[in-house]
Amino acid sequence: MSPSQIKRIGILTGGGDCPGLNAVIRAVAKTAMLQHGIQVFGIEDGFQGLIEDRVRALSFADVSGILTRGGTILGTNNKCNPRKWAIGRNADGSPVFADCTPQCIATVERHGLDAIVVIGGDGTMAASTGLVDAGINIIGVPKTIDNDLHGTEITFGFLTAVATATEALDKLHSTADSHHRVMVCEVMGRNAGWIALTAGVASGSDIILIPEIPFELDTMCEYIDRRVAHGPGFAIIVVGEGAMPKGGSQMIRQIDPTSPDPVRLGGIGAWVAQELAKRTTADVRSTNLGHIVRGGTPIAADRILATHFGYHAIAMLMDGARNRLVVRQNNIFSDIDLMASAGKQRLVPVDHPLVSAARAIGTSFGDVAPAPRASREPSAVF
Ligand code: F6P
């Protein structure tokens, strides 16, 4: 199909929600409507809306005034892979799956959609496979607070999650200081430590635990004892939900067998707090920010990124792109094969410059014993 034949497109948001989804919807729809006279249709609740034919025409008014709104006006779903959609349960409670690709194709044909802009993470891109195989043109936009999508240096939503986590850590800082306590704060991020690392550095946290760098409790205890005895008397520890002790494994909060990615991580922050309380003299408390880091209005940087991504999605569609994912690499917007990122995760390299910078200023990753500062002042170690 030549670009001039593109008259009607759909938009769907898949996976967990994240700040900036509405900003992308707005940019995609307004660019399509204003620049190309394309009719835009919103698909509700991710691929579920395609299976169940919940598709509605979007007017200009529908996509106006949503730039600053958190969440997604279309709804989303992080359980839906059309090829493996849970349609019920067996007597033992296990899910019954069905391939609902034909229903999706029928919905696309019924509404005469020439392409679908799919806003999602690696799971959502992987879930597009059946539609791509059926000849439907899918244009992907990279979304996730976790910032772990392969092929792009950044996803929208991440910077807002970092800002939210940083604000929370700043607040923990003042109460930790007043009570001379160790505060442990768990943040989301799945198997990647981007949120913990970045918010940890931004908040000046003392210890940052990320999945990519397994930690040792003894090393942490030594750091805390020295900091409590010879330093300011309190400590802030930020823990990515996928962090694990050396030789140990990740803590699982829930298994959802109906989800394409069934593992839900969580609980490591509370466990670390409990172990530190047992092994040190410090007064320890723990907080889990949970879904709070996914909520709320996108910060300015995410509104801008989302607008770039949305505009680029339509620009490349009108340039004849088929099954491509918008990405940003070296600060330049471009695109890669849609499936290049499917099912892959971009983790924090252990020698990432931000890890090195954090280590250089005395931040611990819980893996190596803290080196005393080159100072004559014994109390100036931290
Ligand atoms: O991928 C986004 C994310 O928020 C992860 O950081 C987290 O592990 C997961 O989704 C939580 O999923 P749910 O909303 O199903 O609990």
Side-chain angles (χ1 to χ4, degrees):
M1 170 178 289
S2 76
S4 61
Q5 290 173 294
I6 293 173
K7 302 285 181 224
R8 298 156 73 94
I9 63 165
I11 309 181
L12 71 77
T13 52
D17 74 337
C18 109
L21 281 167
N22 286 324
V24 177
I25 293 169
R26 168 182 178 268
V28 167
K30 286 192 172 183
T31 307
M33 291 174 188
L34 289 176
Q35 302 306 318
H36 307 286
I38 292 172
Q39 265 190 288
V40 181
F41 293 81
I43 299 160
E44 295 174 354
D45 298 333
F47 289 113
Q48 191 179 354
L50 269 189
I51 296 170
E52 297 170 353
D53 194 4
R54 288 190 281 116
V55 177
R56 63 177 197 263
L58 294 178
S59 68
F60 199 80
D62 288 329
V63 294
S64 297
I66 62 170
L67 175 64
T68 59
R69 271 173 64 180
T72 160
I73 59 164
L74 297 176
T76 190
N77 185 328
N78 65 359
K79 296 187 181 185
C80 191
N81 179 343
R83 277 191 165 162
K84 205 178 164 203
W85 174 231
I87 54 167
R89 287 195 178 271
N90 291 308
D92 64 359
S94 61
V96 177
F97 293 107
D99 182 356
C100 293
T101 309
Q103 288 92 316
C104 293
I105 296 167
T107 302
V108 172
E109 287 172 353
R110 199 172 299 121
H111 294 275
L113 303 180
D114 302 313
I116 303 177
V117 176
V118 169
I119 310 169
D122 60 311
T124 306
M125 298 311 150
S128 306
T129 312
L131 305 185
V132 169
D133 290 350
I136 296 168
N137 188 8
I138 304 284
I139 299 294
V141 177
K143 166 241 69 162
T144 167
I145 58 163
D146 305 334
N147 201 30
D148 62 351
L149 205 67
H150 183 81
T152 184
E153 66 193 2
I154 193 152
T155 52
F156 73 86
F158 166 65
L159 291 172
T160 303
V162 169
T164 303
T166 302
E167 190 185 345
L169 288 161
D170 289 349
K171 290 184 197 293
L172 289 174
H173 209 121
S174 60
T175 175
D177 190 0
S178 308
H179 285 267
H180 320 294
R181 280 177 174 160
V182 172
M183 291 290 191
V184 182
C185 179
E186 180 177 316
V187 294
M188 281 186 169
R190 273 203 308 179
N191 301 314
W194 294 109
I195 298 176
L197 169 64
T198 313
V201 171
S203 61
S205 292
D206 305 293
I207 302 180
I208 300 173
L209 302 182
I210 61 175
E212 295 85 349
I213 305 178
F215 61 87
E216 274 176 346
L217 282 168
D218 287 347
T219 304
M220 291 175 68
C221 290
E222 194 189 328
Y223 185 100
I224 286 164
D225 282 337
R226 287 171 70 178
R227 194 177 149 90
V228 169
H230 302 295
F234 72 94
I236 306 292
I237 304 175
V238 56
V239 189
E241 64 179 357
M244 66 195 117
K246 268 184 197 167
S249 52
Q250 291 179 320
M251 290 196 79
I252 294 172
R253 157 170 62 92
Q254 188 191 347
I255 297 279
D256 182 347
T258 64
S259 175
D261 182 5
V263 175
R264 296 291 181 274
L265 297 169
I268 186 68
W271 183 80
V272 165
Q274 179 192 305
E275 291 303 311
L276 294 181
K278 273 195 248 165
R279 295 162 188 241
T280 67
T281 54
D283 195 14
V284 189
R285 296 289 187 275
S286 83
T287 301
N288 188 344
L289 296 185
H291 292 79
I292 286 172
V293 295
R294 255 179 35 196
T297 183
I299 63 168
D302 269 332
R303 296 177 199 181
I304 293 163
L305 185 59
T307 304
H308 271 300
F309 277 152
Y311 159 74
H312 194 88
I314 293 302
M316 71 190 204
L317 176 66
M318 299 315 285
D319 274 349
R322 287 195 65 80
N323 305 318
R324 306 286 293 174
L325 175 73
V326 186
V327 294
R328 201 186 79 184
Q329 288 163 341
N330 300 320
N331 232 4
I332 293 181
F333 293 92
S334 61
D335 49 271
I336 58 172
D337 187 273
L338 184 72
M339 290 305 153
S341 70
K344 293 187 195 143
Q345 288 175 3
R346 190 177 70 92
L347 304 181
V348 177
V350 295
D351 58 352
H352 188 276
L354 197 54
V355 174
S356 307
R359 286 196 196 277
I361 60 170
T363 308
S364 168
F365 286 83
D367 57 337
V368 287
R373 210 167 72 172
S375 163
R376 286 164 193 258
E377 292 287 325
S379 62
V381 171
F382 292 97

